[in-house]
Amino acid sequence: MIYQGNAITVARGDDDIATLTFDLEGESVNKLSTAVVQQLDQAVKALGAEAGLQGLILASAKEAFIVGADITEFHGMFEKGEGEIQAMLERVHGIFNALEDLPFPSVSAINGLALGGGCEVTLTTDFRVMAETARIGLPETKLGILPGWGGCVRLPRLIGADNAIEWIAGGTENEADACLKVGAVDAVVPGEALEAAARDILARANAGELDHRARRVEKTGPLKLDAIEQMMAFETAKGYVAGKAGPHYPAPVEAIKVIQKGAGEERARAQAIEAKAFGKLALTDVCYNLVGLFLNDQVVKKKGAAYAKQASAIDQAAVLGAGIMGGGIAYQSASKGTPILMKDIKEEAIALGLKESRKLFGKQVERGKLSVEQMAERLSNIRPTLSYGDFTHVDLVVEAVVENPKVKGAVLAEVEECVGEDTVLTSNTSTISITRLAENLTRPENFCGMHFFNPVHRMPLVEVIRGEKTGDAAVAATVAYARQMGKTPIVVNDCPGFLVNRVLFPYFGGFSQLVAQGADFRRVDKVMEKFGWPMGPAYLLDVVGMDTAVHAGEVMAEGYPDRMGGMASDGGKSAIRRMVDHDRLGQKNARGFYAYEEDKKGKPKKVVDEDAIALVEGLAEGEREFSDEAIIARMMVPLCLETVRCLEDGIVGSAAEADMALIYGIGFPPFRGGALRYIDAMGVDAFVAQAESLAEELGPLYAPTDKLREMARQGERFYA
């Protein structure tokens, strides 16, 4: 044994080939924490001191190779400032360079995921062999930073500037075949042949058949591009990537600049350019929030996994109601391998549901994600039916009929009589109380909410809603099924609107008040889109559907009359109500705040509609100019306050879950980290002061809670 640590061991074989194995004790995956990097330093020094070695294999004893740096350390590290970040990067560069410069050929045997720092480690070796099922990539730009351990230097020299820009700016995970095609790896083999392939490459290098020294010269010298090639590669890419990333995500373009600046330099100088840019990005709010987002996502996934461990198997599902929503749920279940019955009382509804599923599978075939055979196989997972005949073997039912408590209650009571005693019943309701719907059931402990967001195949969130009598087994099974469907489930407690709609409607309330006071809804949309929302509130209402919004607003008004009472039907005074009264329901009938025409792809494209403008102007108490800051405050404060109330009321279990629900459910700007991180970033005291000043003019929707005021006094935050 050359070196032994609790994360890394280095053993010498009889053939004088050393194998450095990553195997982090007590963890399911390998991560490059500060402690692991220190062990790597010691291991590389031990290798350098070992006489007579003929080669080195980097390997992993886990399913994944290395999933990256330990992101839980990032906030603490970055808070130390630019100087400390630079020093950390220099230390790692020194270790990686020493690994690259060992006096014998080296190869990485990549058995599974090699991401971020894990990918950068493999770039230090002369060769790489990859298992067929492995994936590699540099996803750092998704965290608001860039590869800082040599990725921006080594990758372009290995696979060319164009390919490296695509990998790094896109933050993609790349399949084995794609890696081989661009030259990121030297061979792709079945997993069981990985070690033999690595040894074969080392033997060929030692025999002079493969020139590992020439490889090193290429990786450590300047990039081989003349001035015109550089300009074409980098300037075109910067414009394209800036357009795709948008103004709020600087890291992808910054990564291209780093590759460009380092292109004509030797290794040390190019790495210094990379380190400087990394240090600057690491201190931005965007990076802080995106790292926070990653950590929150881990919290949510862990909670989901803990529920799923307690769940009985969901081998057969069913959906009641075969419209667009039912068809979307059936597609999602079938596409992820869980067979599903799709039940309706009308043949034409069944046909519509199947058409929706076929359309979604067809798009997968068009994109090359599925073959026609795979599409046929997955479609066969959906079985349409007009009767309950096969429901005795169903493990979980999703009721997705019309949003009406009487209809839903009757359908749920009916299906309960046709399923087994342990079958879990769920309702895809966006607003109706789960406790209320359970009143008609003889086994309310087997019932909970399962709220999907539209369109089902795109929106990652599923709210799993626990009613007063819901049992743990029903919640666990529903969480497990949502995970099987590839969704992110978040468990919440029952209340009007649950979590996401309860938080969204005060945002719409802020919008209605702005418009009533003379704000131009198109300007409000532009300001909120510039702030980072995928669409402004008027556009979002068109997508949701005006009639749906009025119905949900009435539920909220009944549930929270003190602050949301104004959201009920108020004689046509609100812009939303006026739209409904004039049969302008949004995208569903191509007329709302905007008019809709089909684009070339057949998707609805919004256009300005003078009739809508006139309707809204007729409501306003005269025209009023609002600054961008005033619009943002009046839209964001009620949304953030309602999120705070949901946390205080125990509707959601943690700040992390609340923020992730808003990002996954309604497209809250990810680079802002969620509503509670947004309050933290402003400072709880500053947020409370802003809310109080607005509440004086605009009423209780803007009034901070007593607990939030106390947090402000104590200097507390939602995230430590």
Side-chain angles (χ1 to χ4, degrees), residues 38 131 154 211 228 233 246 271 367 371 454 494 550 561 572 610 662:
Q38 280 171 349
R154 292 186 176 95
D211 192 344
I228 292 171
Q271 286 177 345
R367 292 193 192 109
S371 67
N454 214 359
D494 193 20
V550 165
E610 294 301 331
L662 299 189

Side-chain angles (χ1 to χ4, degrees), residues 49 104 200 225 421 456 475 496 508:
F104 39 77
D200 177 58
L225 285 178
E421 287 216 348
V456 175
V475 171
F508 288 152

Side-chain angles (χ1 to χ4, degrees), residues 58 65 108 110 114 117-125 127-128 136:
L58 294 193
F65 183 77
S108 294
I110 305 165
C119 176
E120 287 172 299
V121 165
T122 72
L123 298 177
T124 65
T125 58
F127 307 100
R128 278 148 299 284
I136 63 178

Side-chain angles (χ1 to χ4, degrees), residues 22 30 58-66 108-114 129-135 191 194:
F22 292 94
N30 289 317
L58 294 193
S60 162
K62 310 271 190 209
E63 243 179 74
F65 183 77
I66 300 171
S108 294
I110 305 165
N111 62 313
L113 275 183
V129 293
M130 189 172 181
E132 291 164 334
T133 54
R135 296 195 306 279
L194 204 55

